[in-house]
């Protein structure tokens, strides 16, 4: 079961990594505009981030195994559809539905894991294995995408189909069956489902628009305001609902809130940093996508560190202190890279990459554990949806933040020195986000001492 669930989160991570590397090849073959190419990435983010909370609650209400199997099948079909695309419209549809499928699949898988393993050391170790494989999927996806794109970009879509088919066949056999549902069921909170999904879609769309400040700041502000208004309406609906989609009392848990905030800061810093480094290596240094993927491969070391080193440290020091150590290491890694030069050798970059791999291995799994520990079994899907929403929003905010800073710093300049200076300015964003993560983790350590 752990292999199947971890395989699904690995599939989701490697799918994103492979597509990002293959975008130039897709553009060259299909003649897509820059807006359409950006939309292919944004469509997945909209589906994933917008439907994650609904997906998490659906696993609790409709059955975790059922949601996992059904949406893994949807993921398989629409990933294959992307491989047959002959234009931007089909790709946009395929990526949006694939994102929606991942939004239902991911919290269902995590809740299967957290409800099968009893709370304690065994669950902690299982979650750390799961989280290490999840984090390693994206890093390995960058390399795999470079290799597959060299053969043909369509294989970036067909390869996940093969893996999804194997996982689907195994899931039917090994995932525990959902418990029988009671005969009397309370009504479904349709108003809550509509408002939270619409609000999250608008919020994520607004965050994605921040990457393109020249597209219209007033419009972006309006989208964000509309998303916030719908989420406020969602809270009002839930307070009055006899069978709320999300029990608001779960948000009164300070450890859960800190874990979700830490999750957002972790992915904000990591994805923002990786985005800037990719641009630096390819645009300024002229490295190929495959060379860039191989350079960043060391970031995938967390797939080994998370299940081997992190459980030992968690048993000795606890989740919160390990997370604190991870954020401190991440901050050091980002600060070391602030002095990046136009002719930096790879040996100068390697310390930051290695430290960052260690930091991700120390923080990702313990944050997931902290976000699900102490939550009742019937709300594990919701807890998984919350933490994955935090990861996704953090990643979108991180990429938007570094993009906005880089564009503002570059202005109309086109020289290599101006480009380098704009990257140096953007790299401050992940360093600040990691430092904020240190503050959040310190608050958790202090709260533990007070208790």
């Amino acid at each position: 079961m752990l292999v199947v669930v971890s395989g699904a989160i690995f599939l989701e991570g490697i799918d994103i990594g492979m597509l990002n590397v293959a975008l130039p090849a897709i553009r060259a073959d299909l003649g897509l505009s820059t807006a359409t190419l950006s939309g292919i990435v944004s469509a997945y983010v909209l589906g994933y981030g917008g439907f994650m909370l609904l997906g998490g609650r659906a696993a609790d209400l409709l059955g975790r195994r059922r949601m996992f199997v059904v949406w893994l099948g949807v993921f398989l079909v629409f990933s294959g559809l992307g491989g047959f695309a002959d234009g931007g419209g089909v790709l946009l549809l395929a990526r949006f539905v694939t994102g929606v499928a991942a939004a239902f699949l991911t919290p269902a898988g995590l809740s299967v894991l957290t409800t099968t393993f009893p709370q304690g050391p065994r669950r902690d170790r299982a979650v750390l294995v799961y989280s290490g494989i999840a984090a390693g999927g994206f890093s390995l996806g960058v390399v795999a995408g470079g290799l597959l794109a060299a053969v043909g970009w369509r294989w970036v879509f067909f390869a996940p189909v093969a893996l999804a088919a194997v996982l689907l066949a195994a899931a039917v056999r090994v995932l525990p069956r959902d418990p029988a549902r009671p005969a009397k069921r309370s009504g479904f909170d349709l108003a809550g489902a509509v408002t939270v999904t619409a609000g999250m879609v608008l919020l994520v769309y607004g965050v994605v628009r921040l990457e393109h400040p020249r597209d219209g700041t007033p419009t972006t502000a309006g989208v964000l305001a509309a998303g916030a208004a719908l989420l406020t309406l969602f809270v009002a609906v839930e307070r009055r609902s006899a069978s709320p989609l999300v029990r608001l009392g779960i948000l009164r848990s300070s450890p859960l809130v800190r874990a979700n905030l830490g999750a957002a800061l972790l992915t904000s810093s990591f994805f923002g940093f990786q985005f800037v480094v990719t641009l630096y290596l390819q645009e300024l240094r002229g490295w190929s996508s495959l060379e860039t993927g191989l350079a960043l491969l060391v970031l995938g070391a967390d797939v080994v560190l998370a299940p081997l080193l992190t459980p030992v440290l968690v048993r000795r020091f606890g989740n919160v202190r390990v997370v604190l150590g991870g954020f401190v290491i991440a901050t050091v890694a980002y600060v070391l890279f602030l002095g990046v030069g136009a002719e930096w050798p790879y040996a100068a970059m390697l310390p930051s990459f290695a430290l960052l791999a260690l930091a991700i291995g120390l923080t990702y799994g313990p944050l997931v554990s902290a976000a699900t520990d102490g939550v009742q079994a019937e709300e594990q899907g919701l807890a998984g949806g919350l933490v994955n929403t935090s990861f996704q929003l953090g990643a979108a905010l991180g990429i938007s933040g570094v993009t906005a800073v880089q564009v503002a710093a570059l202005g109309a300049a086109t020289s290599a020195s101006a480009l380098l200076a704009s990257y140096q300015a953007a790299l401050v964003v992940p360093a600040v986000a990691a430092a904020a993560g240190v503050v959040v983790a310190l608050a958790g350590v202090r709260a533990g001492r007070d208790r």
Side-chain angles (χ1 to χ4, degrees):
M1 182 275 295
L2 178 58
V3 170
V4 171
V5 172
S6 299
I9 195 67
F10 178 83
L11 171 67
E12 188 267 332
I14 201 171
D15 174 76
I16 297 172
M18 289 194 300
L19 179 67
N20 288 348
V21 175
L23 287 175
I26 295 173
R27 178 177 187 169
D29 187 29
L30 299 182
L32 304 180
S33 66
T34 300
T36 302
L37 201 67
S38 175
I40 291 171
V41 177
S42 300
Y44 183 91
V45 175
L46 283 175
Y48 194 22
F51 285 80
M52 181 65 76
L53 280 177
L54 180 61
R57 198 63 182 123
D60 292 329
L61 297 175
L62 303 178
R64 300 177 178 96
R65 181 182 186 273
R66 182 178 295 107
M67 290 294 97
F68 186 93
V69 170
V70 168
W71 288 101
L72 181 56
V74 175
F75 189 101
L76 183 156
V77 170
F78 279 86
S79 183
L81 176 64
F84 288 110
D86 57 359
V90 176
L91 277 176
L92 289 170
L93 172 65
R95 291 309 292 169
F96 177 75
V97 179
T98 302
V100 174
F104 283 83
L105 172 66
T106 302
L110 179 57
S111 61
V112 166
L113 186 153
T114 55
T115 54
T116 301
F117 288 91
Q119 186 167 319
R122 290 189 68 219
R123 182 197 286 183
D124 289 342
R125 187 170 182 83
V127 168
L128 292 171
V129 170
Y130 169 90
S131 302
I133 293 174
F138 186 85
S139 301
L140 296 175
V142 174
V143 180
L147 292 171
L148 290 173
V151 178
W153 64 263
R154 296 183 187 276
W155 285 103
V156 168
F157 292 91
F158 293 146
V161 170
L163 178 56
V166 173
L167 291 172
L168 185 59
V172 172
R173 294 181 62 88
V174 306
L175 260 60
R177 294 196 174 276
D178 297 319
R181 287 173 288 174
K184 293 183 178 180
R185 299 181 60 196
S186 55
F188 180 70
D189 182 13
L190 179 61
V194 171
T195 51
V196 72
T197 302
M200 288 302 300
V201 167
L202 288 174
L203 185 62
V204 173
Y205 179 57
V207 169
V208 169
R209 283 184 60 88
L210 291 175
E211 300 175 24
H212 312 285
R214 296 173 184 170
D215 289 351
T217 302
T219 303
T220 301
V223 171
L224 289 171
L230 280 170
L231 290 178
T232 302
L233 177 60
F234 166 71
V235 172
V237 168
E238 297 306 276
R239 284 177 173 171
R240 296 173 178 270
S241 176
S243 53
L245 184 74
V246 175
R247 184 179 63 84
L248 298 178
I250 195 173
L251 300 178
R252 298 193 187 102
S253 169
S254 297
L256 182 143
V257 171
R258 282 193 296 269
N260 279 270
L261 183 56
L265 291 169
L266 175 67
T267 53
S268 177
S269 59
F270 176 71
F271 281 90
F273 175 79
Q274 193 174 55
F275 183 76
V276 176
V277 170
T278 301
L279 293 179
Y280 162 75
L281 293 176
Q282 295 191 13
E283 291 187 350
L284 186 64
R285 302 295 297 275
W287 292 20
S288 68
S289 56
L290 180 57
E291 289 172 327
T292 301
L294 292 173
L296 298 176
L297 182 60
V298 67
L299 294 175
D302 55 355
V303 74
V304 177
L305 295 173
L308 297 180
L309 174 63
T310 309
V312 177
L313 296 176
V314 167
R315 285 196 297 270
R316 176 68 177 83
F317 301 104
N319 281 324
V320 178
R321 286 181 173 82
V322 173
V323 169
L324 173 59
F327 271 120
V328 169
I329 294 171
T331 304
V332 172
Y334 297 135
V335 169
L336 286 176
F337 213 88
L338 290 177
V340 62
E343 298 295 335
W344 255 27
Y346 183 67
M349 309 176 206
L350 189 57
S352 289
F353 296 160
L355 287 173
L356 193 53
L358 176 60
I360 298 299
L362 292 179
T363 50
Y364 193 106
L367 282 170
V368 174
S369 291
T372 55
D373 279 352
V375 178
Q376 297 297 318
E378 60 270 17
E379 291 184 325
Q380 281 291 329
L382 172 60
L386 284 170
V387 71
N388 280 292
T389 299
S390 299
F391 281 132
Q392 187 67 26
L393 276 177
L397 280 170
I399 294 175
S400 297
V402 297
T403 302
V405 171
Q406 194 261 332
V407 170
L410 183 62
T414 57
S415 66
S417 60
L419 193 60
L420 176 61
S422 70
Y423 293 148
Q424 290 171 334
L427 286 168
V428 174
V429 176
V432 171
V438 172
V439 175
V440 172
L442 280 172
V445 171
R446 181 176 180 180
R449 287 175 177 169
D450 290 344
R451 285 196 300 273

